[in-house]
């Protein structure tokens, strides 16, 4: 690092001078110990922009993220030469997901020639890219494969979205989030590993475990099904290749052929010779609903993608179903002519071009790690009633076909959702819904009133041009929800539904949305009828605009979700009780029940953490082994109850004499352990012996048991890291021996 580089403090200077370099962390085969690859980790110049977090945060704030990302990738491949990373090694290079749309891999491919001849490259994509811009992501993956590079999906398990998109991205390497190997196994880990191992078994993909720092982590990585690993156990990131391990080749699965893309048709993904059936649209609707119900049972690792031909087929009833899908599944997409980029909040949409073959299809794809199904249909062009129009279709559970159809649809999904609003089915613009007249009107108005009267959701219309914004229309369903007749509510502001226990924060947000003329969704507590019976209202408010763009009315749709909210709250309460119970069980497993101090198991864990920090910071740690002298005599003379009371008093005195960060545990019987972290190596032993003297003095003070005082003393042995050992076991053994010597000086002299 030059003096000039050391003074670099702004992202503009970094980019103009190219002051970015890479360090390389080895990736190792767990079975053989061979180094088969390195991950290139970006580093900035010495100073405030040295770490990747600071570096990329500065570029993001300056709007120059794409430039920095390109510079880091180029530095990673150029640096591979200086780091002596020669074939058969592979280099893993990260791609920042936020730049996929603005820089769709062209510069990545342009620097392919900078890699050493024969050096394989694997591009890492993090799960943050998956839901935000899926079409760009899929296109980028195809471009990477075109130049013969591999694809790794990073941080798998950190979010359920990574499992949902795994079968669509088809990564060659699945990188497990480090928490999977470093934390205690639980149901979530089991779900992740079922999905990952199932995918690896089907595709031959490699599983790589990150964060391996000790033997325990290594054993857990192997147990989870990983064949590759990286972490400090194998070596820290450095400027050159490690020299103490053998080198081997990374055997990636065979190159994958292109499956489908934004120009492909899901119906066209059906294998040649697939048996096709003919059915009216009415049957396809029911088959689609069945697949939607299956998707909701699959949960957050499920992807749902569907086509609707035209926006008018995405009906209010469809909106309600897809709102439920968004709440229960990982990713939901809807495609059709004139559909907005977000037809329902959370649903990712796409407007199909007039020449897009998907405009003539009815497709529903449901894909998760352990389930795949697709309804793929093509319109036969019938005239007549809409529900009687015929389609030729296939219902397939063949995973390969479902994945190809899913890629074909998701590859069309827009990158950024826009604010949602009522959509005009003919033009894709905000719709101006006419006011509903109280009587008479045109045929369209009569049909609209009948439809609103028949719906099971409460519907209201408020006049935003009148003082206090009164209700001018309510349907029969709303009368039942409110417990009041139309005559009792028309002309009033709908705040009469609220009560003293209605959340004022939700009300404030609703009023702010109305002031801004924005759409609003929430669930809030309302009250019904004269008895003021509480009920939970899932409300959706949508503005109605006049020709000049001014808000003239608000349409409200209300649904009673009391049963759902009650069930959810009961479930949360039960989960909270279970968590507290498990926490109590865990606390008992790590705590001495008599004194309330940590037991040896917890003390050892905390000491290992303190020793690890000491090794990083160059500090010293002392371990004190304390044994009471005279305790047995008290126990024999006064009984076990008195002995227990004496141990509790001693524990309190020891706790009171230690610093806040010091460690204290009861080893068993009349033995205690004390840990003193963060000591100066030059004075650690002296400090530890000083603390030992203070503890001995505290123990010697008389203890009143009943009406008579008793007195005991203590023998203490001291060991210090690093002089007496680097691990807990040797330190404990040395402290124990010195305690015994202090207690039995004659034996020690012999």
């Amino acid at each position: 690092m030059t003096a000039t580089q050391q003074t670099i403090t702004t992202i503009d200077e970094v980019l103009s001078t190219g002051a970015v370099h890479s360090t390389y962390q080895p990736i190792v085969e767990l079975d053989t110990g061979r180094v088969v690859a390195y991950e290139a980790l970006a580093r900035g110049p010495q100073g405030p922009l040295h770490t990747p977090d600071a570096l990329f945060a500065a570029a993001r704030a300056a709007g120059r993220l794409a430039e920095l990302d390109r510079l880091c990738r180029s530095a990673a491949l150029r640096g591979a030469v200086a780091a002596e990373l020669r074939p058969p090694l592979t280099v893993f290079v990260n791609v920042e997901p936020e730049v996929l749309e603005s820089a769709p891999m062209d510069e990545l491919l342009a620097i392919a020639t900078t890699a050493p001849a024969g050096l394989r490259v694997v591009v890492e994509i993090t799960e943050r890219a998956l839901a935000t811009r899926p079409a760009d992501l899929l296109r980028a993956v195809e471009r990477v494969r075109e130049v013969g590079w591999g694809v790794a999906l990073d941080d798998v398990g950190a979010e359920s979205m990574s499992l949902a998109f795994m079968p669509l991205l088809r990564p060659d390497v699945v990188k497990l989030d480090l928490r999977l190997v470093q934390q205690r196994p639980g149901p979530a880990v089991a779900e992740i590993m079922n999905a990952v191992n199932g995918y690896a078994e089907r595709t031959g993909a490699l599983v790589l475990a990150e964060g391996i720092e000790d033997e325990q982590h290594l054993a857990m990585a192997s147990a989870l099904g990983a064949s590759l690993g990286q972490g400090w156990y194998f070596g820290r990131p450095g400027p050159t290749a490690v020299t103490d391990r053998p080198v081997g080749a990374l055997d990636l699965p065979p190159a994958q052929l292109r499956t489908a893309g934004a120009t492909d048709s899901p119906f066209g993904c059906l294998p040649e010779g697939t048996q096709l059936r003919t059915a009216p649209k009415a049957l396809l609707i029911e088959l689609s609903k069945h697949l939607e119900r299956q998707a909701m049972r699959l949960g957050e690792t499920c992807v749902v993608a569907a086509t609707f031909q035209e926006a008018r087929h995405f009906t209010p009833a469809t909106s309600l179903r897809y709102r439920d899908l968004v709440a229960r599944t990982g990713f939901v997409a809807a495609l059709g002519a004139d559909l907005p980029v977000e037809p329902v909040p959370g649903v990712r949409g796409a407007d199909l071009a007039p020449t897009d073959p998907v405009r003539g299809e009815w497709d529903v794809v449901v894909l998760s790690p352990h389930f795949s199904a697709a309804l793929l249909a093509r319109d036969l062009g019938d005239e007549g009633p809409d529900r009687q129009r015929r389609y030729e279709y296939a219902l397939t559970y063949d995973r390969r076909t479902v994945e190809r159809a899913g890629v074909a649809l998701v590859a069309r999904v827009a990158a950024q959702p826009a604010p949602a609003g009522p959509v005009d089915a003919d033009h894709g613009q905000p719709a101006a819904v006419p006011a509903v007249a109280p009587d008479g009107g045109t045929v369209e108005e009569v049909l609209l009133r009948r439809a609103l009267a028949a719906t099971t959701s409460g519907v209201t219309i408020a006049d935003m041009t009148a003082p206090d914004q009164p209700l001018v229309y309510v349907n029969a369903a709303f009368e039942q929800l409110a417990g009041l007749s139309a005559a009792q509510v028309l002309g009033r502001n709908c705040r009469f539904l609220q009560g003293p226990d209605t959340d004022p924060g939700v009300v404030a947000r609703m009023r702010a949305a109305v002031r801004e003329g924005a759409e609003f969704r929430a669930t809030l507590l309302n009250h019904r009828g004269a008895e003021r019976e509480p009920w939970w209202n899932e409300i959706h408010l949508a503005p109605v605009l006049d020709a000049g763009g001014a808000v003239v009315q608000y349409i409200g749709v209300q649904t009673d979700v009391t049963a759902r909210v009650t069930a959810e709250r009961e479930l949360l309460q039960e989960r909270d009780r279970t968590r507290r119970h498990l926490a109590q069980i865990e606390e008992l497993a790590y705590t001495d029940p008599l004194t309330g101090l940590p037991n040896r198991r917890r003390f050892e864990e905390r000491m290992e953490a303190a020793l690890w920090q000491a090794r990083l910071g160059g500090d010293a740690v002392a371990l004190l082994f304390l044994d009471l002298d005279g305790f047995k005599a008290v126990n024999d003379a006064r009984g076990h109850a008195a002995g227990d009371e004496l141990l509790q008093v001693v524990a309190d005195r020891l706790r009171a004499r230690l610093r806040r960060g010091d460690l204290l545990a009861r080893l068993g019987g009349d033995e205690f352990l004390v840990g003193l972290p963060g000591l100066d190596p030059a004075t650690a032993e002296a400090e530890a012996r000083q603390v030992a003297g203070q503890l001995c003095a505290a123990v010697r003070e008389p203890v009143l048991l009943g009406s008579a005082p008793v007195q005991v003393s203590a023998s203490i042995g001291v060991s210090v890291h690093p002089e007496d050992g680097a691990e807990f076991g040797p330190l404990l053994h040395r402290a124990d021996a010195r305690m015994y010597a202090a207690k039995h000086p004659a034996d020690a002299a012999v």
Side-chain angles (χ1 to χ4, degrees):
M1 190 70 62
T2 67
T4 302
Q5 288 174 312
Q6 291 176 355
T7 63
I8 292 177
T9 59
T10 69
I11 191 63
D12 293 333
E13 292 175 303
V14 170
L15 295 174
S16 63
T17 61
V20 172
H21 66 284
S22 290
T23 59
Y24 299 89
Q25 185 173 42
I27 295 173
V28 174
E29 280 182 338
L30 299 185
D31 290 343
T32 66
R34 297 188 306 172
V35 175
V36 295
Y38 286 84
E39 180 178 0
L41 304 173
R43 295 290 185 270
Q46 290 296 330
L49 299 182
H50 180 63
T51 65
D53 289 345
L55 191 64
F56 278 84
R60 188 176 290 108
R64 305 188 70 179
L65 193 60
E67 296 174 66
L68 176 63
D69 191 56
R70 181 172 60 250
L71 180 61
C72 289
R73 290 197 299 269
S74 179
L77 295 179
R78 289 198 313 269
V81 178
E84 299 183 353
L85 306 183
R86 301 185 180 92
L89 291 171
T90 298
V91 173
F92 283 59
V93 180
N94 289 277
V95 174
E96 180 62 33
E98 294 180 42
V99 305
L100 285 175
E101 182 180 22
S102 60
M105 309 305 292
D106 288 342
E107 59 277 348
L108 177 65
L109 303 179
I111 63 174
T113 56
T114 65
L119 183 70
R120 298 191 69 179
V121 177
V122 172
V123 175
E124 287 193 28
I125 300 172
T126 68
E127 52 83 20
R128 288 180 293 138
L130 303 182
T132 53
R133 38 179 59 89
D136 297 310
L137 177 62
L138 291 173
R139 283 195 295 270
V141 167
E142 290 302 329
R143 298 291 299 278
V144 168
R145 296 194 190 282
E146 286 175 8
V147 295
W149 290 358
V151 174
L153 182 57
D154 198 10
D155 298 331
V156 171
E159 298 288 344
S160 57
M161 189 65 70
S162 57
L163 300 181
F165 264 72
M166 192 162 56
L168 299 179
L169 292 174
R170 300 167 292 117
D172 305 293
V173 180
V174 177
K175 298 190 70 175
L176 302 180
D177 185 70
L178 58 85
R179 286 175 292 182
L180 297 181
V181 299
Q182 294 185 353
Q183 294 182 357
R184 185 172 303 175
V189 173
E191 179 183 8
I192 294 165
M193 292 318 304
N194 268 282
V196 170
N197 282 291
Y199 171 78
E201 185 178 39
R202 288 192 306 270
T203 64
L206 303 177
V207 180
L208 190 161
E210 297 183 289
I212 299 176
E213 297 178 357
D214 54 34
E215 291 282 353
Q216 186 175 359
H217 294 163
L218 176 61
M220 178 59 71
S222 297
L224 292 174
S227 60
L228 303 173
Q230 68 181 113
W232 287 2
Y233 182 79
F234 303 114
R236 300 193 180 189
T240 60
V242 297
T243 58
D244 59 345
R245 288 183 177 272
V247 174
L250 180 65
D251 294 325
L252 294 176
Q256 301 189 45
L257 299 176
R258 178 180 178 276
T259 57
T263 61
D264 296 291
S265 152
F267 187 82
C269 293
L270 288 169
E272 187 176 349
T274 300
Q275 182 180 1
L276 299 177
R277 295 177 173 84
T278 301
K281 181 177 179 179
L283 175 60
L284 298 188
I285 291 174
E286 296 307 317
L287 290 175
S288 300
K289 291 179 180 178
H290 175 71
L291 290 178
E292 292 166 9
R293 290 191 292 270
Q294 287 182 299
M296 285 192 282
R297 287 193 291 269
L298 295 170
E300 295 181 349
T301 61
C302 180
V303 170
V304 181
T307 61
F308 292 88
Q309 295 188 287
E310 300 176 14
R312 61 189 177 89
H313 297 313
F314 197 87
T315 65
T318 307
S319 298
L320 293 175
R321 298 201 316 273
Y322 271 64
R323 184 172 58 188
D324 290 339
L325 281 171
V326 168
R328 300 188 190 182
T329 64
F331 182 87
V332 184
L335 301 85
D338 297 325
L339 264 178
V341 295
E342 196 174 45
V344 169
V347 174
R348 305 297 300 278
D351 177 12
L352 299 177
T355 58
D356 196 320
V358 178
R359 290 185 66 161
E361 295 186 10
W362 180 298
D363 305 307
V364 179
V365 172
V366 175
L367 185 61
S368 75
H370 302 298
F371 180 86
S372 58
L375 171 64
L376 306 177
R378 182 164 55 191
D379 195 336
L380 293 176
D382 290 349
E383 302 291 339
D386 185 64
R387 293 178 66 88
Q388 296 304 315
R389 289 168 44 218
R390 293 178 307 135
Y391 292 74
E392 57 177 352
Y393 80 97
L395 184 62
T396 178
Y397 294 87
D398 175 69
R399 188 170 192 89
R400 179 66 174 167
T401 302
V402 176
E403 289 178 356
R404 295 185 69 231
V407 170
L409 293 180
V410 175
R412 291 170 161 84
V413 173
Q416 293 291 335
V423 175
D424 182 284
D426 294 326
H427 305 290
Q429 301 297 323
V433 180
V436 180
D439 54 42
T442 65
V443 173
E444 290 80 7
E445 290 172 333
V446 173
L447 289 174
L448 181 58
R449 286 203 305 273
R450 289 176 180 174
L452 292 174
T455 183
T456 57
S457 296
V459 178
T460 61
I461 299 178
D463 185 356
M464 306 307 292
T465 64
D468 204 32
Q469 302 162 357
L471 295 175
V472 294
Y473 172 81
V474 297
N475 68 349
F478 179 82
E479 291 179 85
Q480 293 180 347
L481 292 175
L484 299 170
S485 67
Q488 292 174 295
V489 300
L490 290 178
R492 299 172 62 184
N493 186 287
C494 61
R495 70 173 68 91
F496 66 82
L497 293 171
Q498 301 168 17
D501 46 356
T502 301
D503 188 344
V506 176
V507 174
R509 292 197 300 273
M510 178 168 59
R511 290 175 178 170
V514 171
R515 285 195 301 269
E516 295 170 5
E519 192 174 358
F520 179 80
R521 293 178 183 272
T523 300
L524 73 164
L525 188 66
N526 281 163
H527 296 80
R528 181 181 291 120
E531 298 78 17
R532 308 301 289 162
E533 174 192 0
W535 61 286
W536 286 97
N537 184 2
E538 189 177 71
I539 186 170
H540 174 208
L541 302 179
V544 179
L545 311 178
D546 64 9
V551 177
V552 292
Q553 296 161 340
Y554 254 92
I555 296 180
V557 179
Q558 293 93 0
T559 305
D560 187 343
V561 293
T562 304
R564 189 189 77 195
V565 172
T566 301
E568 290 173 349
R569 290 191 164 191
E570 290 175 351
L571 178 61
L572 289 174
Q573 291 172 356
E574 180 61 28
R575 288 178 177 174
D576 186 59
R577 287 193 293 270
T578 301
R579 281 194 295 268
R580 290 199 302 270
H581 181 61
L582 293 174
Q584 291 170 352
I585 293 175
E586 183 175 1
E587 187 63 25
L588 289 174
Y590 284 92
T591 304
D592 171 46
L594 177 63
T595 62
L597 294 176
N599 58 17
R600 170 174 173 156
R601 184 180 176 188
R602 174 58 60 83
F603 182 86
E604 182 174 352
E605 289 182 355
R606 291 178 174 174
M607 273 294 290
E608 290 290 1
L611 291 169
W612 183 76
Q613 289 290 343
R615 287 191 289 271
L616 289 179
D619 297 331
V621 179
L623 174 63
L624 281 59
F625 194 120
L626 184 149
D627 182 83
L628 298 183
D629 300 326
F631 172 79
K632 185 176 186 303
V634 174
N635 208 39
D636 292 343
R638 307 291 294 273
H640 291 297
D644 289 348
E645 184 178 353
L646 175 59
L647 289 173
Q648 291 170 342
V649 171
V650 169
D652 290 340
R653 289 181 179 179
L654 296 177
R655 188 187 289 112
R657 295 300 193 280
L658 295 173
R659 302 173 301 175
R660 184 168 187 172
D662 293 338
L663 308 177
L664 174 63
R666 182 186 176 204
L667 183 59
D670 59 349
E671 297 175 336
F672 296 85
L673 296 176
V674 175
L676 305 176
L679 302 180
D680 185 341
T683 61
E685 183 174 358
E687 289 183 62
R689 295 196 180 281
Q690 182 181 7
V691 172
Q694 294 171 354
L695 297 181
C696 285
V699 172
R700 279 196 302 270
E701 294 177 10
V703 178
L704 189 65
L705 297 180
S707 59
V710 299
Q711 190 171 19
V712 294
S713 60
S715 297
I716 299 180
V718 177
S719 62
V720 178
H721 162 81
E723 290 81 4
D724 295 319
E727 305 292 339
F728 173 79
L731 290 173
L732 179 63
H733 177 75
R734 189 65 59 87
D736 184 11
R738 290 171 178 168
M739 180 277 297
Y740 184 87
K743 182 183 285 287
H744 306 285
D747 293 348
V750 174

